[in-house]
Amino acid sequence: MYEMKKEYFTGITLIDDEHRQLFDYANQIYDLLKAEFVPDKYDNILDLLGKLRGYAKKHFADEEAYMESINYKKLFTQKIQHKAFEEELEKYNLDSLEDIENQDVVIGELLTFVTDWLVKHILELDTQIGK
């Protein structure tokens, strides 16, 4: 469902490969949302959030290290955006996920946040790194 489109490529292999993985996490969130035969998704949500948080930290560190290596002028802006993403992920209230009725709502909100942020961030900021 979610994939790297031609316009998302930066031309930097490491960054593009890591963006592909982030899109893969978006697909996993989507699949979980659509998994109608999984009545209690609590453990799956926790697992995906943990993986997404960990991978985002790795990706941001790699991307920022690359930008530092080329003396990228918009590094500070990137760091602010990356920190905001991490902070937003931390806001997901895991206590509310114990209520099965709220799980799909939270998964849907997470999916919207991740995909909107990813596409906007890549198109507006990351694609400029390779130029």
Side-chain angles (χ1 to χ4, degrees), residues 29 41 110:
I29 296 167
K41 301 175 182 178
L110 177 63

Side-chain angles (χ1 to χ4, degrees), residues 10-24:
T10 64
I12 305 156
T13 303
L14 173 68
I15 293 173
D16 291 336
D17 288 347
E18 290 182 355
H19 286 165
R20 265 193 210 92
Q21 181 59 50
L22 290 168
F23 276 103
D24 183 59

Side-chain angles (χ1 to χ4, degrees), residues 83-101:
K83 183 74 172 162
F85 180 86
E86 290 175 328
E87 289 173 355
E88 188 64 30
L89 279 183
E90 292 301 323
K91 288 182 183 177
Y92 282 88
N93 182 353
L94 302 181
D95 294 335
S96 70
L97 298 177
E98 291 180 7
D99 179 4
I100 292 174
E101 300 298 318

Side-chain angles (χ1 to χ4, degrees), residues 1-16:
M1 169 103 193
Y2 299 99
E3 63 185 53
M4 284 283 289
K5 296 180 182 176
K6 186 173 82 169
E7 62 265 25
Y8 301 156
F9 283 87
T10 64
I12 305 156
T13 303
L14 173 68
I15 293 173
D16 291 336

Side-chain angles (χ1 to χ4, degrees), residues 10-125:
T10 64
I12 305 156
T13 303
L14 173 68
I15 293 173
D16 291 336
D17 288 347
E18 290 182 355
H19 286 165
R20 265 193 210 92
Q21 181 59 50
L22 290 168
F23 276 103
D24 183 59
Y25 284 123
N27 278 318
Q28 290 178 44
I29 296 167
Y30 175 81
D31 290 344
L32 182 59
L33 180 63
K34 297 300 179 187
E36 60 186 68
F37 297 113
V38 180
D40 186 356
K41 301 175 182 178
Y42 182 82
D43 290 336
N44 302 81
I45 298 167
L46 289 181
D47 182 53
L48 273 172
L49 273 171
K51 288 178 181 176
L52 182 59
R53 286 177 179 139
Y55 197 80
K57 282 184 185 292
K58 177 204 180 318
H59 168 63
F60 295 155
D62 290 347
E63 195 173 81
E64 290 169 12
Y66 176 81
M67 288 185 281
E68 284 177 11
S69 77
I70 63 166
N71 295 314
Y72 187 65
K73 294 185 183 343
K74 296 182 182 177
L75 174 60
F76 182 72
T77 300
Q78 286 272 10
K79 285 184 175 187
I80 290 171
Q81 290 267 326
H82 294 164
K83 183 74 172 162
F85 180 86
E86 290 175 328
E87 289 173 355
E88 188 64 30
L89 279 183
E90 292 301 323
K91 288 182 183 177
Y92 282 88
N93 182 353
L94 302 181
D95 294 335
S96 70
L97 298 177
E98 291 180 7
D99 179 4
I100 292 174
E101 300 298 318
N102 289 335
Q103 290 178 355
D104 281 343
V105 171
V106 172
I107 296 168
E109 290 170 358
L110 177 63
L111 180 62
T112 298
F113 165 68
V114 169
T115 55
D116 287 354
W117 189 91
L118 214 94
V119 168
K120 183 178 178 184
H121 181 79
I122 290 171
L123 287 176
E124 292 179 5
L125 294 175

